[in-house]
Amino acid sequence: MEEGGGVVRLKGCVKNYDWGRPGKESRVARLYSRNTGDHTIEQDKPYAEFWMGTHDSGPSYLVKGAAENGLALTLKNWIESNPSVVGDKIVNKWGSNLPFLFKVLSVAKALSIQAHPDKDLATRLHSELPDVYKDDNHKPEMALALTEFEALCGFISLEELKLIVQTVPEIIEVVGNACAEQVLDLNEDGEKEKVKLVLQSVFTEIMSASKDMIAEVIARLISRLHIKNQARQLTEKEQVVLRLEKQYPADVGVLAAFLLNYVKLKPGEALYLGANEPHAYIYGDCVEIMATSDNVVRAGLTPKHRDVKTLCSMLTYRQGFPEILNGTAVNPYTMRFIPPFDEFEVDRCILPEKSTAEFPAILGPSIFLVMEGEGTMNTSSDEIVCEGDVLFAPANTSITVATSSGLHLYRAGVCSSFLDK
């Protein structure tokens, strides 16, 4: 296959983590089946993530006319042989790996309470525990809602923290009266550092408590909430806590959820998750894009490896509700979501009937995913595209997308501000 000369079709990769939605209702399963022609989707098996990119744990493959020694050619290997398809700026900074990993997630059950290390911490963790932290890269990420999408993200404000200490006795059981008093005595004015230290102390006490203590406390919490539910409607956070406990009985993450913001995104809204910020996705479908890395520090709502000490020490303990991103219009049908990092950005393009959108040539590569509908993608020739199609557009390729019936697609690429430097 020659480099350049239009878009290249890709086959993505699927991940069947246990928090995924069952095949019969998973958007990930549907996209994967249409993308690969694999019609053996198991109705009750969880289909969690659809991956597009050069990550070694789930590489994308070129679809046609590209085989080496009878083996399918990965996107990564093709880029290595044809570096001009990603452009000089990308090669100089990241080599033949795309700096971003593009995904679709179908979430039925909460993911772990986790955070991603910054570059310095990632380097140290990788050198100390290479079997757990397998690379030295940071992993900022962004989730863009396809359906209503629920998540826990960042710490609640001081005002809310005081309310939680006053209304959730089980938290005091774990952290002790002295710690609770410290919270109630805090004043935001001029005490930012002190507030941070007290919040860190509360969170660390909870996350470090013994399994037996947490199991007992959560049993009492759930019993109390069921009784309260007879007398009044439970708060949103209380309802979330009950849901989490059903999924992860006696897990410390159920209690820790009280300290985190509960966020509901509408379709087309996004959440940016920077380094060292705690978060957990709870339910819904989203497009996700992140720096290419496996680095996750987990400490709750998970059967996987937990690193409580690292998580509690690495967090920023920044408080307040996270910013919800609505994107910036780049043409009448396309919103662009740009994080404060070089590695990635995402475009969401919804074309109504009989409309056209232009994606001008840029100095870096793009991956396009058709989420719904059908239409044409024109570079040097017309490509008919429909739901599940994934296409790699080399650097310096201008693209026109058109549809007669309607088309919903996403483009992932390197951040424009980096390319324009």
Side-chain angles (χ1 to χ4, degrees):
M1 179 171 291
E2 290 174 17
E3 58 183 271
V7 294
V8 175
R9 289 179 181 263
L10 300 177
K11 274 189 184 183
C13 162
V14 77
K15 300 289 182 181
N16 302 96
Y17 307 134
D18 69 348
W19 49 260
R21 296 177 81 153
K24 58 179 174 256
E25 62 183 52
S26 170
R27 188 186 294 252
V28 161
R30 184 181 164 109
L31 287 169
Y32 173 70
S33 174
R34 286 177 170 256
N35 173 256
T36 59
D38 182 346
H39 302 301
T40 59
I41 297 300
E42 294 175 48
Q43 296 299 291
D44 297 314
K45 183 177 179 177
Y47 287 78
E49 297 189 351
F50 179 55
W51 287 24
M52 299 154 280
T54 55
H55 196 294
D56 291 335
S57 303
S60 293
Y61 288 85
L62 274 65
V63 168
K64 60 186 177 182
E68 288 183 344
N69 309 321
L71 299 173
L73 181 62
T74 66
L75 176 60
K76 184 176 180 177
N77 287 343
W78 182 61
I79 292 170
E80 280 170 352
S81 304
N82 304 287
S84 66
V85 299
V86 294
D88 293 344
K89 284 199 162 199
I90 278 69
V91 172
N92 292 341
K93 182 153 185 180
W94 294 289
S96 55
N97 249 336
L98 288 181
F100 60 84
L101 177 60
F102 195 22
K103 297 181 179 181
V104 179
L105 274 58
S106 287
V107 181
K109 177 179 167 182
L111 282 68
S112 55
I113 291 178
Q114 58 183 257
H116 304 299
D118 60 28
K119 193 79 175 77
D120 290 345
L121 179 59
T123 303
R124 179 166 70 74
L125 291 173
H126 177 59
S127 69
E128 289 172 4
L129 294 164
D131 291 344
V132 178
Y133 302 105
K134 296 183 178 172
D135 59 74
D136 62 359
N137 201 14
H138 66 169
K139 193 185 174 188
E141 63 188 31
M142 185 161 56
L144 177 51
L146 292 167
T147 61
E148 186 174 271
F149 191 76
E150 299 170 78
L152 297 171
C153 178
F155 287 104
I156 55 177
S157 67
L158 177 57
E159 195 181 333
E160 290 171 283
L161 181 61
K162 287 184 177 186
L163 189 63
I164 289 295
V165 165
Q166 289 165 320
T167 57
V168 185
E170 296 80 11
I171 294 233
I172 298 180
E173 278 190 68
V174 177
V175 304
N177 282 320
C179 198
E181 286 300 327
Q182 273 189 306
V183 171
L184 296 174
D185 289 344
L186 285 170
N187 185 334
E188 272 188 274
D189 298 332
E191 286 195 332
K192 278 201 170 157
E193 212 44 50
K194 190 175 175 188
V195 172
K196 201 171 171 176
L197 288 170
V198 172
L199 174 60
Q200 180 168 3
S201 159
V202 170
F203 186 71
T204 305
E205 284 290 330
I206 291 171
M207 299 311 285
S208 311
S210 73
K211 274 190 174 177
D212 289 349
M213 180 189 221
I214 291 297
E216 283 173 31
V217 164
I218 287 176
R220 282 196 284 279
L221 166 68
I222 299 308
S223 164
R224 180 174 68 81
L225 290 182
H226 283 311
I227 293 164
K228 288 274 185 203
N229 201 19
Q230 309 300 312
R232 64 166 171 84
Q233 186 171 359
L234 295 180
T235 66
E236 257 190 342
K237 181 64 74 66
E238 287 171 335
Q239 290 173 40
V240 168
V241 162
L242 286 180
R243 283 166 60 197
L244 294 176
E245 193 275 335
K246 275 189 177 155
Q247 296 171 3
Y248 298 95
D251 190 293
V252 67
V254 174
L255 203 56
F258 277 113
L259 304 185
L260 303 175
N261 296 297
Y262 171 58
V263 181
K264 268 202 283 201
L265 298 179
K266 298 189 195 78
E269 292 182 333
L271 194 58
Y272 169 68
L273 304 158
N276 304 327
E277 295 294 346
H279 59 277
Y281 297 152
I282 297 175
Y283 188 82
D285 290 353
C286 76
V287 165
E288 186 183 54
I289 186 164
M290 59 183 62
T292 303
S293 168
D294 281 323
N295 284 323
V296 179
V297 184
R298 298 180 182 87
L301 306 180
T302 181
K304 293 182 179 178
H305 173 81
R306 299 178 185 220
D307 191 344
V308 173
K309 192 175 170 192
T310 300
L311 185 84
C312 292
S313 64
M314 73 190 269
L315 299 177
T316 66
Y317 294 97
R318 188 181 294 123
Q319 287 177 281
F321 203 75
E323 183 186 359
I324 305 300
L325 307 171
N326 292 295
T328 306
V330 289
N331 65 44
Y333 308 116
T334 307
M335 300 301 286
R336 178 163 294 166
F337 296 80
I338 306 175
F341 274 98
D342 291 343
E343 282 89 346
F344 58 81
E345 66 184 21
V346 182
D347 290 344
R348 174 184 191 252
C349 179
I350 299 183
L351 287 175
E353 289 179 20
K354 298 183 177 142
S355 60
T356 303
E358 305 282 341
F359 291 88
I362 52 174
L363 295 174
S366 300
I367 291 180
F368 286 85
L369 165 67
V370 181
M371 193 64 70
E372 290 168 16
E374 59 182 53
T376 58
M377 192 174 272
N378 182 289
T379 50
S380 48
S381 60
D382 265 359
E383 290 270 354
I384 293 169
V385 295
C386 58
E387 181 184 356
D389 283 349
V390 178
L391 303 107
F392 176 88
N396 307 305
T397 307
S398 62
I399 289 171
T400 304
V401 181
T403 180
S404 53
S405 56
L407 186 66
H408 181 175
L409 60 79
Y410 289 81
R411 180 195 74 89
V414 175
C415 192
S416 321
S417 57
F418 170 75
L419 296 175
D420 295 340
K421 277 179 193 168

